[in-house]
Amino acid sequence: MNVITKTEALAEACAALRQCEFVAIDTEFMRESTYWPILCLIQAAGGETEVLIDPMADGIDLEPFFELLRDDSVVKVFHAARQDLEIFYHKGKGLIPAPMFDSQVAAMALGLGDSIAYDNLVRMVLKRNVEKGARFTDWARRPLSDHQLGYALADVTHLRDMYPILRDRLASKDRLSWVAEEMGILSNPDTYALNPDDQWKRLKLRKTTAKWLAGLKAAAAWREHEAQTRDMPRQRVIKDEGLYEIAHAAPTSPEQLSQLRSIPRGFERSKPAERLLEALKIALSDPKKHAPSVTPPEPPPAGAGPTTELLKVLLKLVADDIGVAPRLIATVPDLEAIAAKDDADVAAMQGWRRDVFGETALKLKRGKIALLLENGKVVARDV
């Protein structure tokens, strides 16, 4: 099976793909032992053109492929695109493909499943079985076997064949705009930003004092910078629990650092430890200045718990009625926010979600509709 390893061949293939209305794209990558994913293979299929691209080939320049991703006359089709897009964003220096279509999001909008796996979607839409034996093989090892290459290419040929079917089903239900709205989130550069100063947001806040927050933010930023520059998973630099321990103890000397349970013996004498202590000293010199601004969540109003439970039932009822995965309409935090405030600033109260669910949720809160059990089924009735 032919694999593209030269820039000239890549340019020729991408020129052919740019003549297509849409191109299905997938990647194989590895990141178990690194911070930055190792891009091992790119697969693309459009029309009669089916290609496998080796990004690890010596001297190959991926710019022709990036030009294809930038071409706004070609729809780029993915399944569960988030990780693929993160790779392209960083390797393409801010590149975000446009326009895009994600078959997993489309499946949710069609009621085919919540975060449905690719093989299950192929089976449901195309009545084909997907061979999964090569999924967890070593994609960085060369040469790749025919078995690996066949598996990889099938991923995009199935996707190419599914796209028109999913698109037409969405169009028949007037839901293409729903998927386009979700693509807006995937097209936002903030989705892929890896700013070390923002990494404290990944963590659950156990305290909201200025000193604790300043220490946590500094430690989390230090860990992210170390992970990026040393190209290792952030949890191998130090686990989350270690960041909480550092924020609590607020060490500013090697001796204090060495007393923490999460710190390996001898680490306090290392260069990374020097950088951590320097960051902590700066943050703790003026905690109010360096602590992130955090607004403690308001306690839910009395009765909000039962209201949230009623909204969960309503969400399931609405989702089943229109044939959409409930999570595409609203999340549990959305429901909690709606239970607390009629004007909650959540996705479920905006755009098409408000039309299909949000307004009905407010009617339920205001007692204008009731949930009843009729013939063993829950139904909503006007009051």
Side-chain angles (χ1 to χ4, degrees):
M1 193 172 298
N2 185 43
V3 180
I4 293 176
T5 59
K6 301 294 183 182
T7 305
E8 296 77 9
L10 177 59
E12 182 179 345
C14 289
L17 290 169
R18 291 177 70 176
Q19 303 306 309
C20 301
E21 177 189 355
F22 64 90
V23 175
I25 297 171
D26 191 26
T27 67
E28 304 300 338
F29 61 89
M30 300 179 66
R31 70 184 312 170
E32 288 81 2
S33 60
T34 62
Y35 179 93
W36 304 105
I38 302 170
L39 181 58
C40 302
L41 193 68
I42 302 171
Q43 308 98 275
E48 298 300 316
T49 303
E50 303 169 358
V51 298
L52 297 170
I53 305 161
D54 185 357
M56 303 179 72
D58 187 34
I60 193 168
D61 184 351
L62 294 179
E63 184 56 28
F65 178 72
F66 292 155
E67 290 178 1
L68 168 64
L69 296 184
R70 297 188 191 101
D71 190 334
D72 60 10
S73 70
V74 181
V75 177
K76 272 66 70 174
V77 183
F78 298 88
H79 181 84
R82 174 67 173 77
Q83 293 191 84
D84 295 327
L85 297 179
E86 180 183 342
I87 292 172
F88 296 145
Y89 179 82
H90 292 288
K91 286 194 172 293
K93 299 179 181 178
L95 167 63
I96 297 178
M100 286 189 291
F101 182 94
D102 190 317
S103 62
Q104 188 176 72
V105 175
M108 293 173 69
L110 291 170
L112 299 179
D114 188 350
S115 301
I116 187 170
Y118 179 72
D119 54 329
N120 290 335
L121 183 59
V122 171
R123 189 177 303 113
M124 292 175 68
V125 176
L126 299 177
K127 311 304 180 186
R128 301 174 187 169
N129 290 321
V130 176
E131 195 280 318
K132 299 185 291 184
R135 178 179 296 178
F136 299 110
T137 56
D138 185 351
W139 291 98
R141 181 178 297 175
R142 294 297 185 270
L144 294 171
S145 69
D146 288 343
H147 179 63
Q148 287 176 299
L149 297 176
Y151 162 85
L153 187 59
D155 270 357
V156 287
T157 55
H158 294 322
L159 189 56
R160 174 198 59 197
D161 296 343
M162 277 199 302
Y163 168 69
I165 299 172
L166 296 174
R167 179 196 58 201
D168 292 349
R169 289 184 185 178
L170 289 165
S172 70
K173 295 177 178 289
D174 198 24
R175 294 179 186 176
L176 281 171
S177 62
W178 297 11
V179 175
E181 188 173 318
E182 294 302 301
M183 295 305 96
I185 298 172
L186 287 175
S187 297
N188 187 340
D190 292 343
T191 304
Y192 314 104
L194 296 171
N195 184 351
D197 287 337
D198 291 333
Q199 296 310 305
W200 64 272
K201 298 176 183 178
R202 291 176 172 268
L203 304 166
K204 184 176 181 180
L205 300 184
R206 297 178 178 176
K207 294 182 180 181
T208 55
T209 62
K211 182 178 180 181
W212 191 89
L213 288 170
L216 183 70
K217 180 180 178 181
W222 164 81
R223 179 178 72 172
E224 196 70 11
H225 185 266
E226 292 291 321
Q228 290 180 7
T229 56
R230 294 158 63 185
D231 194 18
M232 62 190 301
R234 58 176 67 92
Q235 294 292 333
R236 292 195 185 180
V237 177
I238 188 171
K239 296 186 181 300
D240 290 352
E241 197 59 39
L243 298 182
Y244 293 128
E245 191 176 337
I246 290 170
H248 177 75
T252 56
S253 70
E255 293 73 26
Q256 293 173 335
L257 189 60
S258 67
Q259 294 172 11
L260 303 185
R261 289 178 298 179
S262 61
I263 300 301
R265 181 174 298 178
F267 173 79
E268 71 277 4
R269 298 188 297 273
S270 68
K271 289 294 184 181
E274 287 183 17
R275 293 190 285 269
L276 170 60
L277 291 171
E278 182 60 28
L280 289 170
K281 287 177 183 178
I282 293 172
L284 298 174
S285 66
D286 190 346
K288 290 184 178 180
K289 175 182 177 182
H290 295 285
S293 178
V294 174
T295 302
E298 296 180 6
T307 302
T308 300
E309 295 304 313
L310 280 176
L311 290 174
K312 289 180 182 179
V313 176
L314 178 66
L315 175 62
K316 182 67 166 58
L317 186 65
V318 169
D320 287 348
D321 184 52
I322 64 175
V324 175
R327 193 170 68 86
L328 187 63
I329 300 175
T331 63
V332 172
D334 285 350
L335 301 181
E336 292 172 343
I338 295 169
K341 297 173 62 177
D342 285 2
D343 60 348
D345 184 18
V346 294
M349 297 301 293
Q350 300 168 11
W352 67 267
R353 292 176 175 84
R354 186 181 184 108
D355 294 337
V356 301
F357 174 74
E359 289 295 338
T360 308
L362 293 180
K363 288 180 181 179
L364 179 64
K365 282 188 64 180
R366 295 164 183 166
K368 294 183 178 180
I369 64 171
L371 298 179
L372 306 174
L373 192 63
E374 295 182 357
N375 299 320
K377 294 183 178 181
V378 177
V379 296
R381 293 283 184 259
D382 291 336
V383 176

